[in-house]
Amino acid sequence: MDAILSYLVMFMMMTLAVVQAQLRTGFYSSSCPSAEAIIRSTVESHFNKDPTIAPGLLRLHFHDCFVQGCDGSILIADSSAERNAVQNIGLRGFEVIDDAKSQIEATCPGVVSCADILALAARDAVHLSGGPSWLVPTGRRDGRISSSNQASNMPSPLDPVSVQKQKFSAKGLDVHDLVTLLGAHTIGQTDCRFFSYRLYNFTTTGNADPTINQSFLELLQAQCPKNGDGLRKVALDKDSPAKFDVSYFKNVRDGSGVLESDQRLWEDPATKSVAQNYAGNIRGILGLRFEFEFPKAMIKLSSIEVKAGTQGEIRKVCSKFN
């Protein structure tokens, strides 16, 4: 069994290497030289009206890549499509991708894929939030399948670290990638319904999750009262929810992780080691380390099971197949 597993992991890594070789930065430099600038200006325009669109685009790209690879399948609008899976509740940013696509089609029809637009938009969203920028390898093609049934293995805020590791490993991502990518929770919000169970009757004695810092627990209970509005939004990073920084890791260190899956990172030796490095007290240096590692993890994420060459298609409209 171990030999089979080792073979599968090796095969996946070889496949990833081949795919990454098919993707390249500047893929559209001749066929649509203005593509990346159009995407950037579109994201910036939406961001200036509503900065919370940044974590929305980042999450949209992550959810796209975890189901059938980064192929834009999350963008399809259909009752049975991927975006309607229960795991994808609350996804947003579709209008930003549609806006960028319509502008690009007017300039370079049938050239730039929706999957690439989403990958580039996620990068721009991070940068606009004060995070790093990076060169995004492009050349993805759009998938021709989008099914809500295939989203069942998405990572969940209820997952213990062992399950998170398995789900990330199945996509060719290691523990370092897992912790680094979860650092995206430095921006954005979540609903009370996804973590309020931690605040009341978490233990058999009816108490809250003991790993939550007491003062933070009181803050969360005030924001999410018992039997209150489960749809109320709460920042994932209590200190700087709109700034892409290392505050998220400091919160996890201090028992102030909002989602259970975030806080559990501090209990597993392997994930704690990575989070601890990012949360360190040496001002500046540790933040720079996260800024360096996050782009590398994102490039790896955005290379998962991509369609390239003659696979898939280049959609005319991102929300429907050609």
Side-chain angles (χ1 to χ4, degrees):
M1 193 66 165
D2 289 343
I4 294 173
L5 185 61
S6 297
Y7 173 78
L8 287 172
V9 171
M10 187 182 299
F11 177 76
M12 180 171 285
M13 295 310 293
M14 288 171 64
T15 305
L16 179 64
V18 170
V19 165
Q20 285 179 323
Q22 291 177 300
L23 300 180
R24 58 183 170 84
T25 56
F27 184 85
Y28 301 110
S29 58
S30 298
S31 57
C32 190
S34 61
E36 294 201 23
I38 290 172
I39 295 164
R40 168 73 187 204
S41 66
T42 304
V43 174
E44 192 164 7
S45 172
H46 286 266
F47 177 84
N48 288 338
K49 294 173 195 163
D50 176 15
T52 68
I53 201 65
L57 288 167
L58 194 50
R59 183 173 178 236
L60 193 59
H61 180 49
F62 180 87
H63 281 238
D64 183 38
C65 292
F66 248 82
V67 181
Q68 300 188 98
C70 314
D71 65 350
S73 53
I74 194 69
L75 304 172
I76 295 296
D78 185 82
S79 59
S80 62
E82 203 176 297
R83 71 157 84 174
N84 290 316
V86 65
Q87 293 84 354
N88 293 325
I89 286 173
L91 284 182
R92 52 194 294 256
F94 298 100
E95 72 284 359
V96 181
I97 307 305
D98 290 340
D99 187 359
K101 178 63 170 174
S102 64
Q103 292 182 56
I104 288 173
E105 283 298 300
T107 307
C108 324
V111 174
V112 182
S113 71
C114 299
D116 274 344
I117 292 172
L118 182 50
L120 289 160
R123 184 269 313 271
D124 294 336
V126 170
H127 192 226
L128 286 165
S129 300
S133 186
W134 60 94
L135 295 173
V136 176
T138 44
R140 296 165 193 77
R141 309 257 302 169
D142 296 321
R144 292 195 179 104
I145 298 170
S146 181
S147 170
S148 58
N149 295 331
Q150 297 189 340
S152 58
N153 210 36
M154 277 294 303
S156 159
L158 304 178
D159 288 341
V161 173
S162 58
V163 174
Q164 292 186 66
K165 285 179 180 176
Q166 289 168 5
K167 288 181 177 180
F168 275 72
S169 178
K171 299 299 178 183
L173 301 168
D174 59 25
V175 171
H176 189 271
D177 299 319
L178 186 164
V179 179
T180 304
L181 290 169
L182 281 181
H185 287 172
T186 181
I187 54 174
Q189 303 170 310
T190 189
D191 296 353
C192 287
R193 58 181 164 164
F194 294 129
F195 67 87
S196 58
Y197 67 92
R198 300 182 66 207
L199 312 182
Y200 312 97
N201 301 319
F202 181 81
T203 64
T204 51
T205 55
N207 295 322
D209 183 340
T211 63
I212 304 177
N213 176 290
Q214 185 58 39
S215 60
F216 187 56
L217 172 63
E218 292 167 6
L219 176 67
L220 290 179
Q221 288 176 332
Q223 291 177 297
C224 303
K226 208 172 199 175
N227 304 319
D229 181 6
L231 297 178
R232 182 171 179 181
K233 302 291 183 190
V234 174
L236 287 165
D237 177 351
K238 68 181 179 65
D239 296 321
S240 52
K243 186 180 179 188
F244 200 92
D245 56 19
V246 295
S247 180
Y248 161 83
F249 296 105
K250 296 176 187 293
N251 289 336
V252 169
R253 177 194 64 196
D254 298 337
S256 300
V258 176
L259 300 176
E260 185 179 0
S261 55
D262 288 340
Q263 193 55 53
R264 296 293 169 256
L265 295 179
W266 206 254
E267 296 175 12
D268 177 275
T271 55
K272 179 180 179 179
S273 174
V274 183
Q276 206 162 23
N277 279 339
Y278 292 147
N281 293 319
I282 307 170
R283 188 178 178 88
I285 295 176
L286 278 304
L288 286 174
R289 183 181 295 173
F290 177 58
E291 286 215 343
F292 178 70
E293 296 297 331
F294 189 77
K296 292 198 294 185
M298 282 296 289
I299 290 169
K300 207 167 164 184
L301 168 75
S302 66
S303 300
I304 293 174
E305 300 165 29
V306 300
K307 281 79 179 168
T310 56
Q311 299 172 309
E313 63 184 15
I314 303 296
R315 284 185 217 140
K316 295 181 177 69
V317 176
C318 289
S319 59
K320 58 186 181 182
F321 302 120
N322 289 348

